[in-house]
Structure formats: C-alpha cells, structure tokens
Amino acid sequence: MQARGKFFRKILLPAWVFLAVVLPASGQGFMGDSIITLPERPGIYRLIGNVKIVHGGNTIYSDFADYEQSTGSCQAYDNLRIITKDQVRITGEVLDYNGKTGSYVVDRNVVLDDGEMTMKTPSLRFEGNSNTAYYDQGGEMVSGQTVMTSRRGFYEGQKELFHCFEDVVIVNPDYTIWTDTLHYSKKGLTRFQGPTNIETTDYYMFGRKGWFDQAGNRVSLQRDAYVKNRQSQILYGDSIYYDLGKEDGSAYRDVFLLDTARNCFIKSEFAQNNESEGWAFFTENPRGVLVEQGDSLFVASDTMVMTYDTLRSMKEIHAYHDVKFFREDMQGICDSLVYRHRDSVMHMYREPVLWMQGYQIDGDTVIAWFSGNNPEKTLVRNNVFIVSEVSSRQGYYNQVKGRLMWGYFGDSSNFELAHVVGRAQSVYYVLDEEKNELIGVNKTESQSLKMYFKDNQVHGVNVIKPESSTLYRVEDLTQRQRILRGFHWMPQLRPRSKYQVSPVW
C-alpha cells in the first residue's frame, strides 16, 4: 500500500482499513498503533498505542485517545505529553482537549514547563491561544531559584505573570513570602493583597497590601505595616516604603519606631529611617517615650531625631522646638533637648525651665543626670534662677539666683541640695519649725551659697563668703523688695501629665 501523506498506519478492523495522515497543508493529523471508528459516535476515532495527534500547531502524545477529526478535539489518557504551539510542555495522565478554543484540561500529576518555569498541580486548565494556565486544587511553580505554592492560581505565559490565591508561599534563597493573594512577575516585581509576611536575610516585614521588588530589593507596605530588622528595631506605619539594599526607608501616618533593646519608642505622622547612617528623623507631631519601671520619660516637640549604633540600639534622642517633657518626678520645657542613653544625661537648651516637686529652675542651659531611673544631679549654667512657692496668695516665694548651680537629689528623687556659685543672691522665708510661724525674710548676697531642702521646703542655707545677709520682717519689705531681679513664676507652663505634653500617645 502506498503512503499518501507524511506518515500512515495500517489499521485492522472488521471491515475497513484507514490511513492516519498528517496533511502538510493543514498541519493536522493523527496516528496510533490501532485506530477504531465508533459507529455510535460518528466522526470519532479511538486511537490505541503510541498515539500522536497534531492540531493547530499543538502535538499530543498518549497511550489512548478518542479523537474528533472535524474539530481536532480529543480525550487522551496515560503517558500523556503535550507540546503546544508556543513550545509549552505539559505532562499528566488525563486530557480533555478542545480543538475549537485550543484549551486543555489535564488531570493527575500534571507538570507544565515553558522552558523558564515549571508548574506542578493535580489538575490544570491551559488556554493555548492565550498561553495561560489555571489551577484550583493546589499548585507549585518553580522559576529559577524561586518556588511558589498556593491553593489557586494562574500563569500568563505571554506576560510572564503568576497570579496566586489562598495560602500563598514564595521561597527564594534571599526571601520568603506568605500571603493570601499575590501577583508575581519573573522580571522581579511581586504585588500582594491581604495579610502578607516577608522575611529576608536582614528583615521581617508585614503589610496588608503593597509590592516587593526583588530585583531592586525594595518594598512598599500598606495598612498595619511594619519592618523589623534582625537586631532590636521595628518601624510601624500605615504606609512604609523601604530600600532594603540601602537600609533606608520612609513611613507615613501612625508611625511608630520601637527600640526593644533600649525599651523606647517615638511616634509621629512621618519618619525617615536611615539605618546605614544610624539615624531616624520624625516630623508631624512627634512624641517619644523612654520606658522605665515606675517613671517613664514622655517627650514631645516639632521635630525629633533618634541616633543609634550598629546594633540598631538607640544612642541619643534629639528634640527641636517647643519641647515639652514629663516624668512623675520631673517636668520641663525648652527649645531643644538631647537625651544621651550611654550615660543617662539630658541636655536642655534655649530658655529651659525645669520643675521638680515644688521647685522651678531655669537658666541658659540645664543638664540632668539619671541613675537607676532616678534623677541624680543637675547642672544649670548662666542666669540661674530657682523659685519655690511659699504662699502664692501673699506673693511669698523662696528665690535663689546666680551664675551656675549644681543640684543634688536623694534616694527618693527628692531635691536635697542646691549649690549656687557666682554672685549668688537669695530671698527665703524663715519659719519657726516648732510653731510653724513665719519669722521673717532673709536676703543674702554672696560668692556662693548652699540651700538645703527637706520635705519640699528650705531647711537651711549656708552662705559662703557673704557680702550681705539681712533678716527682715515681712511687713518691712515691699512686694518689689521681696523678689529678685528677673523673677518669673510660670506654673501655667508646667506639664502636669503626659497628656499635657501631647494629647495622644
């Protein structure tokens, strides 16, 4: 028998012999070891053994197939191999191929390989015309060193895009992603929706929406977002953009930078965090807290900067303009403030005012040292002025002024001693402790003086190298004579709680 096409097979039937031919003009044909017609299904051929079907540029191999010649559709089984017109290779056990639409439904141990990506799934629908693969019974996709698994998804071959849904996990040597909905590009950009966790070599990240640029090593996180480094720092925000390679990022709205090593944090509406240079910058209602057992320090200002070491632990906090702070045992205001963690020292600059118990202290610069979370000593430089109230109704105030002052605290954080140096002047009201009666007003001028305090009251004064010291009856002095030049009493500016420092925390 002569061959009338590219290839043929002899078919043994009860009454007929057929030729299976691939026609060069149409590029279509079929073959098998055995080909049987099905009278009950006109136009259908049953192909058995070494089946090969060519249709629309697609080639199907299997052990068994029912083939409809008019449409090119088939159902094929066992040892299934498909090579699409786009050179996508698919293997499995069961196939339902629609020749009109060019779509495949493949079941059982399905593997799809387009030369750059491999997909494994129990069941797959592949649209040959658009080169798109769908699965809904779980799937694994491997692209280079990246492995993706999810419950449902599809792959757009023409765009090289993966779309994954439900229990999505991406594993790469450089990162791992867990999410609900993900759109992954082989060019290196991943978009996600739903709660998403990302782990890299240096960071843990979370967001409910955003993108991750693997090639550029950048990430954008939105809604309840945070970026946590491997050391002790976590940056929260409603929206975060981070360049992971440069270790630099910005956060917007409800910003919260937490240092777990130093147990401190700063909140604001905007922050830029530059880890490579060791600083974080905050604006739009910044407020910081140094958390301590029993007495935390609350600070608010127009602008704040936190500096930190290579382990991402806080070194200093800088606050600028309209600074207010509150501790249970100490409150203050100033134009700028620096808190240095290494030696627990706080510096206040430009019109600082410090309140401790019943005392108001101010000068050009105020420095306070802390030990074990308690104030230990304070230094006031230039234009020192100390005021404590004796009777506001009568206008009685104890006062000390001078060039410099050292102040010391007791174990219970009570102010115990003020040593004022340089043209020291004082006005203090002398009481008879037994009768609790006012004896008079003592006015002194000296080279220096030491004022001792007990139970929030002046307990004694030691005048050193006095130039003058006079005790007056109160009624012998006018109101003006009972106050020192430069006197100012400002209880209305004193923060009485953390909520007077900032209305929100």
Side-chain angles (χ1 to χ4, degrees):
M1 182 177 292
Q2 299 293 324
R4 297 184 180 181
K6 194 171 184 180
F7 63 82
F8 71 95
R9 287 287 185 273
K10 186 176 180 179
I11 308 162
L12 300 177
L13 295 174
W16 306 277
V17 173
F18 291 90
L19 296 177
V21 181
V22 176
L23 301 177
S26 63
Q28 299 182 15
F30 59 95
M31 61 180 290
D33 290 344
S34 176
I35 303 177
I36 305 172
T37 60
L38 302 176
E40 70 278 10
R41 299 174 63 191
I44 304 297
Y45 297 93
R46 179 155 292 172
L47 314 178
I48 303 174
N50 294 310
V51 174
K52 179 179 179 181
I53 298 172
V54 179
H55 180 267
N58 306 302
T59 304
I60 300 169
Y61 300 90
S62 69
D63 290 346
F64 182 94
D66 284 345
Y67 176 70
E68 184 179 1
Q69 188 175 24
S70 61
T71 63
S73 301
C74 71
Q75 293 80 42
Y77 309 89
D78 301 332
N79 294 319
L80 181 65
R81 290 179 296 123
I82 304 166
I83 302 176
T84 73
K85 60 184 179 182
D86 295 312
Q87 297 302 303
V88 176
R89 298 176 180 272
I90 305 173
T91 61
E93 298 296 328
V94 180
L95 166 67
D96 187 351
Y97 171 66
N98 188 321
K100 293 181 178 180
T101 62
S103 64
Y104 305 79
V105 176
V106 187
D107 291 308
R108 300 179 190 172
N109 302 317
V110 182
V111 178
L112 180 149
D113 188 346
D114 70 355
E116 296 183 359
M117 180 277 301
T118 301
M119 177 187 295
K120 297 179 180 180
T121 180
S123 181
L124 178 73
R125 177 166 62 90
F126 181 77
E127 299 294 343
N129 292 334
S130 62
N131 195 16
T132 304
Y134 300 84
Y135 62 93
D136 59 8
Q137 296 182 28
E140 176 187 273
M141 291 171 285
V142 180
S143 177
Q145 294 183 299
T146 302
V147 179
M148 287 169 286
T149 58
S150 63
R151 179 63 182 170
R152 300 182 295 111
F154 64 96
Y155 171 64
E156 295 183 90
Q158 294 177 352
K159 298 180 180 180
E160 295 187 333
L161 288 175
F162 300 90
H163 307 273
C164 305
F165 310 93
E166 296 182 38
D167 302 325
V168 183
V169 180
I170 295 184
V171 178
N172 181 280
D174 296 326
Y175 59 87
T176 304
I177 301 175
W178 299 265
T179 186
D180 289 337
T181 300
L182 180 142
H183 309 281
Y184 173 86
S185 169
K186 289 197 292 187
K187 295 179 180 179
L189 181 65
T190 299
R191 296 186 180 276
F192 51 84
Q193 292 179 327
T196 301
N197 290 277
I198 303 174
E199 180 179 353
T200 69
T201 304
D202 300 313
Y203 296 94
Y204 299 99
M205 293 167 279
F206 175 84
R208 298 185 182 276
K209 183 180 179 181
W211 52 261
F212 178 38
D213 178 5
Q214 298 94 305
N217 205 16
R218 300 172 300 145
V219 66
S220 176
L221 307 166
Q222 299 175 26
R223 298 174 55 196
D224 302 326
Y226 71 78
V227 174
K228 180 182 184 301
N229 62 37
R230 294 283 183 175
Q231 286 81 29
S232 60
Q233 193 180 91
I234 310 175
L235 177 64
Y236 299 87
D238 183 68
S239 178
I240 296 176
Y241 170 83
Y242 227 85
D243 188 319
L244 304 176
K246 295 181 179 179
E247 298 181 317
D248 181 35
S250 300
Y252 306 84
R253 295 181 298 278
D254 296 326
V255 177
F256 184 101
L257 180 64
L258 173 64
D259 180 345
T260 57
R262 302 298 192 218
N263 204 16
C264 66
F265 62 84
I266 296 179
K267 293 182 176 181
S268 69
E269 295 303 307
F270 171 79
Q272 181 179 358
N273 191 28
N274 191 315
E275 296 182 62
S276 62
E277 296 183 9
W279 55 263
F281 173 82
F282 303 84
T283 60
E284 299 184 34
N285 191 28
R287 58 267 189 212
V289 180
L290 300 175
V291 180
E292 299 286 354
Q293 292 183 352
D295 202 355
S296 298
L297 174 66
F298 299 85
V299 184
S301 63
D302 291 341
T303 303
M304 283 191 187
V305 176
M306 176 192 288
T307 63
Y308 43 84
D309 58 26
T310 55
L311 297 178
R312 307 301 191 266
S313 295
M314 184 268 286
K315 293 195 301 183
E316 297 179 348
I317 290 180
H318 299 249
Y320 300 99
H321 311 309
D322 195 23
V323 179
K324 299 178 182 179
F325 71 86
F326 174 84
R327 281 175 50 110
E328 289 294 338
D329 54 12
M330 182 182 296
Q331 305 84 44
I333 60 173
C334 58
D335 180 73
S336 57
L337 177 148
V338 178
Y339 179 85
R340 191 167 60 228
H341 183 272
R342 181 183 62 190
D343 44 16
S344 299
V345 177
M346 182 172 64
H347 296 254
M348 303 169 61
Y349 302 100
R350 297 189 62 183
E351 300 181 354
V353 183
L354 188 68
W355 288 274
M356 298 176 295
Q357 291 90 47
Y359 307 101
Q360 173 186 292
I361 302 172
D362 62 270
D364 291 351
T365 303
V366 175
I367 305 173
W369 284 261
F370 298 86
S371 177
N373 191 38
N374 293 318
E376 180 181 29
K377 61 183 177 181
T378 184
L379 170 64
V380 184
R381 292 174 175 162
N382 300 324
N383 300 311
V384 176
F385 214 117
I386 306 173
V387 182
S388 65
E389 182 181 80
V390 178
S391 172
S392 60
R393 183 178 61 84
Q394 295 174 299
Y396 296 168
Y397 299 93
N398 289 324
Q399 306 150 61
V400 180
K401 64 180 295 186
R403 182 178 56 82
L404 181 146
M405 183 208 80
W406 283 98
Y408 299 91
F409 299 83
D411 294 337
S412 58
S413 300
N414 288 326
F415 197 38
E416 290 190 345
L417 169 65
H419 184 190
V420 180
V421 180
R423 295 196 52 131
Q425 301 177 58
S426 69
V427 171
Y428 67 95
Y429 290 77
V430 182
L431 297 176
D432 185 323
E433 293 184 0
E434 294 183 359
K435 299 180 179 179
N436 195 27
E437 294 179 353
L438 181 61
I439 298 175
V441 181
N442 194 12
K443 297 185 66 175
T444 70
E445 293 186 11
S446 61
Q447 208 174 74
S448 66
L449 66 81
K450 294 182 179 179
M451 183 173 285
Y452 300 89
F453 303 91
K454 183 178 180 181
D455 298 329
N456 205 26
Q457 298 291 334
V458 176
H459 186 62
V461 175
N462 182 11
V463 180
I464 303 171
K465 294 184 178 180
E467 297 177 5
S468 65
S469 179
T470 306
L471 179 65
Y472 298 93
R473 294 189 306 169
V474 176
E475 56 270 22
D476 290 340
L477 297 176
T478 65
Q479 179 66 31
R480 179 65 188 87
Q481 292 172 326
R482 294 198 297 267
I483 61 174
L484 298 175
R485 183 185 297 273
F487 169 85
H488 45 276
W489 177 244
M490 302 173 290
Q492 73 280 4
L493 300 181
R494 182 178 188 174
R496 298 290 180 175
S497 73
K498 64 180 182 180
Y499 298 106
Q500 288 188 346
V501 172
S502 174
V504 292
W505 287 96

